[in-house]
Amino acid sequence: MIRGGDVRIGDLRQRVGIERVVRVTDGGGGAEEEWDMVAEVWAAVMPLTGTERVEADAVNGNVSHEIWMRYRPDVAPDMRLRLGPRLFDVRAVMDVEERRRFLRCLCEERDL
């Protein structure tokens, strides 16, 4: 279990895809957004908090997660992470202890 930045390689047990949005022309003068796979990495996915609310007569929930991985310079808050069918919007990316060893991504899982 990861506690306070004490990460070990053995904690990274889940295969996570890193995706970035790409704008593609739709042929009619506009553009559509598509998600492009950047890489697949080993990561540790840990839920932090969750909320639930009613919107438009439907229950919507979200869960905040920490997702830890080995350091990569190309991960940014405009990306998302994929774990099987689950999608996580990246909200913040931190270089843990600024040593370029591990990234701590604060993410939000939507549409639960």
Side-chain angles (χ1 to χ4, degrees):
M1 185 75 174
I2 301 170
R3 297 179 204 271
D6 185 23
V7 182
R8 294 184 306 242
I9 294 301
D11 295 325
L12 309 180
R13 296 185 184 128
Q14 294 158 302
R15 198 72 173 156
V16 172
I18 302 170
E19 299 179 347
R20 78 170 146 237
V21 70
V22 177
R23 294 181 55 90
V24 178
T25 60
D26 63 5
E32 295 179 356
E33 292 183 346
E34 293 183 3
W35 289 91
D36 187 30
M37 180 72 72
V38 174
E40 282 191 338
V41 298
W42 291 103
V45 179
M46 297 175 300
L48 296 175
T49 62
T51 61
E52 184 177 88
R53 62 187 173 273
V54 177
E55 294 177 357
D57 293 330
V59 176
N60 291 323
N62 62 27
V63 177
S64 296
H65 288 74
E66 280 186 352
I67 300 181
W68 292 73
M69 66 184 74
R70 284 182 180 255
Y71 177 82
R72 293 180 57 98
D74 58 346
V75 179
D78 61 345
M79 296 177 140
R80 73 180 186 189
L81 304 176
R82 178 184 294 273
L83 178 61
R86 299 169 64 191
L87 297 173
F88 302 89
D89 294 329
V90 177
R91 301 293 182 213
V93 179
M94 293 168 266
D95 177 3
V96 179
E97 298 176 354
E98 297 187 11
R99 297 180 64 198
R100 294 183 180 209
R101 292 185 60 221
F102 293 100
L103 285 183
R104 177 179 171 225
C105 300
L106 299 180
C107 301
E108 186 174 326
E109 182 176 14
R110 294 193 180 255
D111 301 325
L112 301 177

